[in-house]
Amino acid sequence: MSDKIKVGLVGIGNCFSGLIQGIEYYRKNPSQEVTGIIHDKLAGYGIHDIDFVCGFDVGENKVGKLLHEAIYEYPNMVDWIAKDDLPKNDALVYESPILDGVGVWVENRIKPITSTKTPEQIADEVKQIIKERGVEIIVSYLPVGSDKVTEFWAQICLDTNTAFVNCIPSFIASDEKWAKKFEEKNIPCIGDDIKGQVGATIVHRTLAKLCSDRGTKIEKTYQINVGGNTDFLNMKEQDRLASKRISKTESVQSQLKERLDDDQIYVGPSDFIPFLGNTKLMFMRIEGRQWANIPYNMEVRLEVDDKANSAGIVIDAIRLARIALDRGIGGPIKPASAYLMKHPIEQTSDVKAKAACEKFVAGD
């Protein structure tokens, strides 16, 4: 393997635009401390050791373009680095199959390409591209609800011995059937459904665990999220949200000593407000009882840039996947998945997950 970590990107939206522009921000500002990651170096790998060598998408205004140009195309709205200031490279964006990857609410914004190719034909082309570009890790940031497309890319990784980082709640690393496939082929996978650095779910589960650990009885809780990018527009389609709600809800439930009844917990995306753009607002409430059965409640409002919130986590996931490749470790990388993802194959507390991640990096 090369010293550079060669990564292919699936779904060239706002998340990847923020990821790539953020790396360039630190390159242009070397005196700035790199925030939002576990460590500046992980087993010797820094953020500038990542080489994005190709991308895959379905948007007619992205497919065929160079990656450094495609990340600025509509409906992307991340503009932390001016387009002309981003370094040029030869990484192209290629066609991905559409399958269930484009929801009814976003179709007019995405404007998917008209293709005569079958998924099987695209798969053959993709495998050749992965080989030619030397891709070691595929990172998927497909829209929520893209279960069939996620399985397509998981199979591509299995067929090409490529590690898989799955940032969305279509269950691969946490699904026993798929996990076994990656184990049998000794290919690393990390997933599923990225936790933001200080995102809605990580804040909710941390406070819920605090209340539970301090001996209170939580009786009910909710988390409501709104935003203005295509991620939230896509999630207006309720049929696409089943796995997202499972992922977010189980992430909170896993931190409680006693599970809440299904009708006493609500965790999920709620609505699309166009003028919010990449700003995400979370409103959370916990109700419970303390000593002598006296009630208490808390409410939290969180405002974050949705893309800055996830980019550093993906940087860590990429580096941890490369470490697994270097050491010949396959299957779900449990410490990385538990620390970085909402729906790992094994849930644990964030404190234990971080400690396990540190041990994994150290080679213990």
Side-chain angles (χ1 to χ4, degrees), residues 9-40:
L9 310 173
V10 179
I12 313 303
N14 278 301
C15 287
F16 282 136
S17 185
L19 177 62
I20 293 170
Q21 290 183 52
I23 291 175
E24 183 58 23
Y25 169 83
Y26 287 115
R27 196 187 310 275
K28 290 180 178 296
N29 298 276
S31 63
Q32 288 274 350
E33 179 187 358
V34 180
T35 56
I37 56 178
I38 300 174
H39 296 299
D40 184 31

Side-chain angles (χ1 to χ4, degrees), residues 31-236:
S31 63
Q32 288 274 350
E33 179 187 358
V34 180
T35 56
I37 56 178
I38 300 174
H39 296 299
D40 184 31
K41 297 282 187 179
L42 283 179
Y45 294 115
I47 68 171
H48 301 299
D49 293 322
I50 299 172
D51 186 12
F52 299 108
V53 296
C54 61
F56 301 91
D57 203 272
V58 299
E60 63 178 11
N61 61 344
K62 295 177 182 175
V63 174
K65 282 192 170 65
L66 291 165
L67 187 60
H68 64 262
E69 297 172 343
I71 63 171
Y72 290 95
E73 291 293 338
Y74 183 83
N76 293 4
M77 55 183 74
V78 179
D79 57 358
W80 305 336
I81 300 291
K83 183 176 180 179
D84 292 340
D85 290 341
L86 202 70
K88 312 298 186 286
N89 61 38
D90 64 349
L92 278 170
V93 177
Y94 300 91
E95 180 180 351
S96 170
I98 295 176
L99 299 175
D100 57 354
V102 179
V104 296
W105 285 96
V106 300
E107 188 170 3
N108 288 338
R109 291 195 177 199
I110 298 296
K111 294 184 179 177
I113 59 173
T114 302
S115 178
T116 58
K117 299 174 184 176
T118 66
E120 291 75 21
Q121 289 172 324
I122 294 174
D124 290 339
E125 292 178 358
V126 166
K127 292 174 191 177
Q128 187 61 34
I129 292 163
I130 287 174
K131 181 179 179 181
E132 291 174 354
R133 300 299 296 178
V135 177
E136 298 165 323
I137 302 166
I138 287 287
V139 181
S140 172
Y141 237 131
L142 288 161
V144 170
S146 304
D147 295 343
K148 292 179 181 178
V149 195
T150 300
E151 292 185 353
F152 171 92
W153 284 103
Q155 189 60 53
I156 287 289
C157 289
L158 290 168
D159 293 343
T160 58
N161 295 314
T162 306
F164 189 43
V165 175
N166 180 36
C167 300
I168 74 162
S170 292
F171 303 144
I172 299 295
S174 60
D175 177 85
E176 290 186 6
K177 179 188 72 174
W178 282 101
K180 185 177 180 181
K181 290 181 180 181
F182 277 88
E183 286 170 359
E184 289 174 346
K185 296 210 68 175
N186 201 37
I187 299 170
C189 60
I190 296 175
D192 302 299
D193 196 11
I194 202 86
K195 285 179 193 167
Q197 181 191 1
V198 184
T201 300
I202 189 69
V203 169
H204 194 170
R205 69 186 253 136
T206 299
L207 290 174
K209 180 170 174 51
L210 172 70
C211 294
S212 184
D213 285 351
R214 299 294 290 178
T216 77
K217 179 176 177 58
I218 296 177
E219 294 185 320
K220 59 186 71 169
T221 185
Y222 68 70
Q223 178 199 129
I224 298 170
N225 305 312
V226 296
N229 53 37
T230 48
D231 188 31
F232 278 90
L233 180 59
N234 174 62
M235 289 188 290
K236 282 174 67 69

Side-chain angles (χ1 to χ4, degrees), residues 286-298:
I286 293 175
E287 298 180 20
R289 294 189 178 272
Q290 300 175 294
W291 177 260
N293 217 28
I294 301 300
Y296 78 98
N297 68 73
M298 70 170 73

Side-chain angles (χ1 to χ4, degrees), residues 152-357:
F152 171 92
W153 284 103
Q155 189 60 53
I156 287 289
C157 289
L158 290 168
D159 293 343
T160 58
N161 295 314
T162 306
F164 189 43
V165 175
N166 180 36
C167 300
I168 74 162
S170 292
F171 303 144
I172 299 295
S174 60
D175 177 85
E176 290 186 6
K177 179 188 72 174
W178 282 101
K180 185 177 180 181
K181 290 181 180 181
F182 277 88
E183 286 170 359
E184 289 174 346
K185 296 210 68 175
N186 201 37
I187 299 170
C189 60
I190 296 175
D192 302 299
D193 196 11
I194 202 86
K195 285 179 193 167
Q197 181 191 1
V198 184
T201 300
I202 189 69
V203 169
H204 194 170
R205 69 186 253 136
T206 299
L207 290 174
K209 180 170 174 51
L210 172 70
C211 294
S212 184
D213 285 351
R214 299 294 290 178
T216 77
K217 179 176 177 58
I218 296 177
E219 294 185 320
K220 59 186 71 169
T221 185
Y222 68 70
Q223 178 199 129
I224 298 170
N225 305 312
V226 296
N229 53 37
T230 48
D231 188 31
F232 278 90
L233 180 59
N234 174 62
M235 289 188 290
K236 282 174 67 69
E237 191 175 345
Q238 293 297 307
D239 289 347
R240 301 180 73 86
L241 290 183
S243 60
K244 184 70 172 177
R245 289 208 170 101
I246 291 170
S247 176
K248 290 173 74 67
T249 301
E250 286 305 311
S251 185
V252 176
Q253 288 271 36
S254 69
Q255 303 304 296
L256 305 179
K257 291 177 182 175
E258 295 182 17
R259 286 182 64 89
L260 292 172
D261 292 340
D262 290 344
D263 61 356
Q264 299 301 304
I265 181 170
Y266 177 88
V267 185
S270 300
D271 217 337
F272 169 71
I273 303 175
F275 64 77
L276 287 177
N278 273 328
T279 298
K280 176 178 180 177
L281 301 179
M282 179 272 275
F283 304 92
M284 185 209 79
R285 181 178 175 89
I286 293 175
E287 298 180 20
R289 294 189 178 272
Q290 300 175 294
W291 177 260
N293 217 28
I294 301 300
Y296 78 98
N297 68 73
M298 70 170 73
E299 293 190 350
V300 176
R301 178 188 185 276
L302 174 68
E303 178 176 336
V304 292
D305 183 299
D306 204 25
K307 307 315 167 188
N309 214 13
S310 70
I313 305 300
V314 178
I315 290 286
D316 286 337
I318 290 169
R319 294 186 295 170
L320 289 164
R322 173 58 186 267
I323 292 168
L325 284 170
D326 290 345
R327 296 175 183 169
I329 301 171
I333 308 304
K334 294 178 181 179
S337 297
Y339 188 54
L340 304 176
M341 302 288 173
K342 295 186 186 78
H343 197 268
I345 196 164
E346 290 182 9
Q347 287 277 11
T348 185
S349 72
D350 294 294
V351 172
K352 290 181 179 178
K354 183 177 181 181
C357 239

